Amino acid sequence: MTDRDLRRAVVTGGAGFLGSHLCERLVHQGVSVICMDNFLTGTPQNVAQLIGRPGFRVVECDLTGFVHVPGDVDLVLHFASAASPVDYLRLPVETLKVGGLGTLHALGLAREKRARFVLASTSEVYGDPLRHPQREDYWGNVNPVGPRSVYDEAKRYAEALTTAYRNSREVDTGIARIFNTYGPRMRPYDGRAIPTFIRQALAGEPLTVAGDGSQTRSVCYVDDTVSGILALARSDHPGPVNIGNPEEGTILELAEAIRELAGSRSPVTFVERPTDDPTVRCPDTTLAKELLGWRPVVPSAEGLRRTIDWFTAELALATGT
């Protein structure tokens, strides 16, 4: 593993949930950061606490168009994309464009600047996996014409494009396959399980569990995910590398844990399961441990408690209570 001297970084999608946490961590580490976002799913509020900090700059930019950054850049973190089902089903063409053209332009920027490039890929490239847990050498089981394909295939194409730039254009690239990340700054109506359950539990509404709730997920607190991504960014490894929590649980167990931690009496109700919803999802993180020295350290109960506390404060702020 190489500990790079990072002075200036570009974070595409930097005003999104995960991108904003990356911006914050880099700024705290003394790195100058250019946050690029078109605010289609991100929001300036996510980086408001960084405005005015030395070296931090927000640029409203559509990555599928022309991209230019003056001056030196050491690192390009490509995190621009709709990432929740609600968003990518609402924005299917935009999701595919940022996975294709957006990745092309971000790679071009990294090539121009001779910068390290890290792609935010996803566990969704494994689809509804036939191998469990998922290792990086598994090719996946993805429906290319299903409703989720706009996200799954955009990221699979982005991985292929990133690899092509590494092999034929000599760009220093890394691919992070990110598993279900959660934490503060998630949007309450983004359609993902954890913010949905927290919002419902705090409001005393029924917790809507898809199917019978037996499908599994492995959830990773955002601070741990950021540490894993930056460990990859500071290394020479091309990836792909799984960044996630190898602890696996069912969706029903997750809903019940959130209800208990929120002190809620909300009942659980079962709703129709979405098309192509993965039956299992769990990363094999051996590669991340061996090559990056990384593993998640925040216990799930603690991470969920922090997230619930953040949602509680945001709800109080929104309602003036």
Side-chain angles (χ1 to χ4, degrees), residues 121-127 138-142 151-152 155-156 159 177 281:
S121 189
T122 171
S123 61
E124 294 294 329
V125 301
Y126 298 121
Y138 176 51
W139 293 353
N141 178 42
V142 174
Y151 184 62
D152 302 356
K155 291 297 187 180
R156 286 162 70 95
E159 286 198 11
R177 286 183 180 158
R281 183 57 54 75

Side-chain angles (χ1 to χ4, degrees), residues 13-250:
F17 159 56
L18 188 48
S20 66
H21 283 277
L22 278 165
C23 288
E24 191 168 49
R25 182 77 63 89
L26 286 166
V27 168
H28 287 168
Q29 292 177 353
V31 180
S32 294
V33 174
I34 298 171
C35 165
M36 288 186 165
D37 209 296
N38 65 355
F39 306 120
L40 204 58
T41 58
T43 172
Q45 183 182 344
N46 284 340
V47 290
Q49 76 283 3
L50 299 176
I51 302 296
R53 292 285 297 268
F56 181 75
R57 182 179 167 211
V58 179
V59 177
E60 186 171 358
C61 171
D62 184 346
L63 205 62
T64 63
F66 177 73
V67 175
H68 173 68
V69 175
D72 294 337
V73 172
D74 305 299
L75 175 65
V76 176
L77 295 170
H78 181 37
F79 279 70
S81 178
S84 73
V86 166
D87 288 333
Y88 60 69
L89 293 176
R90 176 175 60 90
L91 302 164
V93 174
E94 291 85 351
T95 301
L96 286 161
K97 284 178 69 177
V98 78
L101 285 173
T103 303
L104 181 72
H105 293 153
L107 281 161
L109 176 65
R111 185 186 185 204
E112 175 196 346
K113 303 296 183 180
R114 299 184 180 276
R116 170 80 162 158
F117 175 91
V118 174
L119 172 70
S121 189
T122 171
S123 61
E124 294 294 329
V125 301
Y126 298 121
D128 191 3
L130 303 178
R131 276 176 50 178
H132 192 66
Q134 292 78 61
R135 284 187 4 175
E136 290 87 349
D137 58 2
Y138 176 51
W139 293 353
N141 178 42
V142 174
N143 176 3
V145 294
R148 300 171 73 99
S149 66
V150 295
Y151 184 62
D152 302 356
E153 297 291 15
K155 291 297 187 180
R156 286 162 70 95
Y157 176 79
E159 286 198 11
L161 190 57
T162 298
T163 303
Y165 261 72
R166 183 179 185 88
N167 293 338
S168 69
R169 304 289 171 87
E170 298 182 343
V171 178
D172 178 12
T173 65
I175 297 171
R177 286 183 180 158
I178 300 166
F179 283 67
N180 302 77
T181 300
Y182 70 97
R185 298 184 203 143
M186 297 189 89
R187 290 175 293 132
Y189 289 92
D190 84 352
R192 288 181 273 200
I194 288 177
T196 298
F197 292 154
I198 292 176
R199 170 177 56 81
Q200 292 169 337
L202 293 178
E205 300 171 356
L207 274 58
T208 50
V209 172
D212 63 2
S214 64
Q215 62 273 35
T216 69
R217 295 294 183 269
S218 302
V219 299
C220 190
Y221 188 63
V222 65
D223 287 359
D224 283 331
T225 300
V226 166
S227 295
I229 291 162
L230 292 182
L232 176 61
R234 292 180 184 275
S235 79
D236 293 322
H237 198 274
V241 177
N242 289 337
I243 302 295
N245 190 339
E247 294 182 5
E248 183 183 15
T250 69

